[in-house]
Amino acid sequence: MKSKPGRGERIAAVHRREDFPESPGPVVAFVGRSNVGKSSLLNRLLGKAAARVSQTPGKTRGIYFYETEEGHRFADLPGAGFARVSKAERERWGELADTLFRSGQVRLAVLLADCRVPDTPTDRVLRGYLESLGVPTLAVATKWDKLGERERARSRARLEAAHGAVLPVSARSGEGIEQLRREIRRRLREVEG
Ligand code: GDP
């Protein structure tokens, strides 16, 4: 018999609508365009038990569910930003993501933006989509270690113009990671009441 997954381990991989777990419980969904740093950030947040490689555009991609040490469920959605994927892939991304977001289980979406490219068309599409469904969204700026002080101020202003409040993080240096954990906890408490 397979043992129960430990904290931080993958609990489900969903490639087709029919594969969604019956009731995965409240979910925090991580979205962003390809290469934004989502895999690196999730590895940092989840710890090495969940270490995973980046999803290559064009390969079979799905939604991966993980259980965090605190018992929350994180959903890792395939990178959006569709230049290099086929139409069929794009449609499947939309269908899978849409199924999850319309399930009512997503308590919080973490929308990742690259601090050096603060407001791409993909970011705007994702933001508009989440807003249209009324999903509470937390904007996070990735790869913060890549910027110096002056660039940080400029990037922050542009990010905030696009997203409102933004939390900067670096998966590489660990900067902002603890604040992100705290903010996710706080936002979940808020919606759980
Ligand atoms: P994903 O496609 O969104 O899952 O992105 P990855 O996590 O695979 O990262 C894409 C690229 O950005 C890789 O080359 C990573 O090494 C790099 N990267 C990711 N996070 C950081 C970070 O915090 N700082 C720096 N400097 N590079 C990062």
Side-chain angles (χ1 to χ4, degrees):
M1 202 174 86
K2 269 177 88 178
S3 60
K4 254 185 108 200
R7 295 296 162 98
E9 285 184 35
R10 184 196 284 189
I11 49 177
V14 172
H15 295 280
R16 297 170 311 161
R17 270 167 92 139
E18 309 82 84
D19 295 339
F20 272 99
E22 284 282 303
S23 87
V27 165
V28 181
F30 287 75
V31 295
R33 65 189 180 80
S34 302
N35 217 37
V36 74
K38 185 157 55 62
S39 308
S40 308
L41 180 62
L42 278 164
N43 283 340
R44 262 279 183 180
L45 284 173
L46 290 164
K48 66 176 183 300
R52 52 182 294 283
V53 288
S54 190
Q55 293 162 0
T56 312
K59 288 239 178 88
T60 308
R61 305 175 309 160
I63 296 178
Y64 299 95
F65 290 92
Y66 297 89
E67 181 153 335
T68 72
E69 295 201 334
E70 290 151 31
H72 302 139
R73 306 225 160 161
F74 283 5
D76 176 11
L77 274 76
F82 307 112
R84 290 190 307 197
V85 299
S86 68
K87 184 156 176 277
E89 274 279 316
R90 259 192 322 263
E91 281 169 3
R92 210 161 48 81
W93 186 93
E95 196 190 316
L96 280 181
D98 209 45
T99 303
L100 177 64
F101 283 114
R102 288 180 193 280
S103 71
Q105 285 158 340
V106 179
R107 298 290 187 273
L108 179 67
V110 179
L111 174 61
L112 306 181
D114 188 321
C115 65
R116 298 161 310 163
V117 214
D119 189 25
T120 69
T122 302
D123 295 345
R124 284 197 288 274
V125 168
L126 287 172
R127 172 137 224 125
Y129 171 72
L130 295 168
E131 270 171 15
S132 74
L133 291 181
V135 177
T137 300
L138 169 62
V140 166
T142 59
K143 310 185 190 179
W144 201 235
D145 60 284
K146 291 207 178 211
L147 300 182
E149 278 311 313
R150 192 129 30 106
E151 295 165 311
R152 285 184 174 198
R154 213 177 11 232
S155 169
R156 194 186 270 273
R158 287 174 62 189
L159 286 158
E160 287 180 354
H163 298 288
V166 169
L167 199 69
V169 301
S170 166
R172 184 154 298 174
S173 72
E175 187 178 359
I177 298 294
E178 212 33 63
Q179 288 90 325
L180 176 56
R181 285 207 184 93
R182 267 207 305 273
E183 185 61 16
I184 290 172
R185 274 200 297 270
R186 194 182 71 75
R187 300 282 289 261
L188 287 176
R189 270 202 309 272
E190 218 171 72
V191 289
E192 297 297 330

